[in-house]
Amino acid sequence: ERAVDDYLACLRKVYAHAGYVTVNISSPNTQNLRQLQGESELDGLLGPLKREQESLAQQHGRYVPLAMKIAPDLDEGQILVIAGATNTTLSREGVEHLAYADEAGGLSGAPVFEKATHVLGALSHYLGNEIPLIGVGGVMDGRAARAKLEAGAQLVQLYTGLIYRGPALVKE
């Protein structure tokens, strides 16, 4: 119920040191966090964050962009409401047969690639070049990175792929 205060406190702490700040509103490991993806909740969060960003930019003499991380489980209506990048999914589709498939929490890496790329493509379709998009989710090789760019991403971010592939993935 005081999420805005938490996000503002974090923004103030990291602003001077960050190249950009990601506002994660989709972590399935934080109870009720995904409720912030609703239209009124999102407006109530992003308005104060943008105002604080402007104040901090004047205070520090530099502009630090805000990125928003969203879930890959969104339907078309939700995608229209939200702009940003995707995060982990709650779905276990495609990994049901694995030993730890029933564990709670977010699923990342290759299993989220298709969903995340679909959401990215939809956002790109609706937004055009209005907002830069970061392609993330299941980037395990160069082909996957290229697919994110083709879906409309201006940037590609690596997480799980770095764990499994190491720095060689960046070169690829």
Side-chain angles (χ1 to χ4, degrees):
E1 55 275 351
R2 295 190 56 207
V4 174
D5 294 338
D6 292 341
Y7 282 99
L8 288 170
C10 291
L11 181 61
R12 291 178 191 122
K13 292 281 187 187
V14 303
Y15 194 92
H17 311 287
Y20 72 95
V21 175
T22 301
V23 179
N24 186 350
I25 58 169
S26 68
S27 174
N29 301 326
T30 305
Q31 186 177 5
N32 299 324
L33 184 66
R34 289 190 175 195
Q35 290 177 353
L36 293 175
Q37 295 179 142
E39 188 169 3
S40 63
E41 294 87 352
L42 195 54
D43 286 344
L45 173 64
L46 293 181
L49 282 173
K50 289 300 290 178
R51 287 189 293 277
E52 188 65 21
Q53 177 192 36
E54 291 170 14
S55 173
L56 290 166
Q58 289 180 353
Q59 180 183 339
H60 293 280
R62 69 187 191 97
Y63 177 81
V64 176
L66 294 179
M68 185 171 49
K69 187 172 274 193
I70 60 175
D73 307 289
L74 303 171
D75 62 35
E76 290 297 314
Q78 292 169 307
I79 291 170
L80 284 170
V81 173
I82 297 174
T86 59
N87 192 13
T88 57
T89 181
L90 292 172
S91 170
R92 293 300 187 256
E93 185 177 321
V95 297
E96 305 91 340
H97 62 284
L98 298 177
Y100 301 106
D102 60 348
E103 286 189 352
L107 182 65
S108 62
V112 302
F113 177 78
E114 293 298 328
K115 283 185 175 185
T117 305
H118 169 76
V119 170
L120 174 65
L123 286 169
S124 178
H125 171 75
Y126 293 125
L127 297 172
N129 291 325
E130 187 177 324
I131 296 175
L133 300 174
I134 302 171
V136 64
V139 181
M140 307 298 283
D141 54 33
R143 178 202 56 78
R146 172 62 53 201
K148 297 294 183 183
L149 295 170
E150 290 171 357
Q154 286 77 34
L155 300 167
V156 175
Q157 196 166 44
L158 307 173
Y159 291 109
T160 307
L162 283 176
I163 294 168
Y164 290 102
R165 298 280 313 282
L169 176 58
V170 176
K171 184 176 179 182
E172 182 182 330

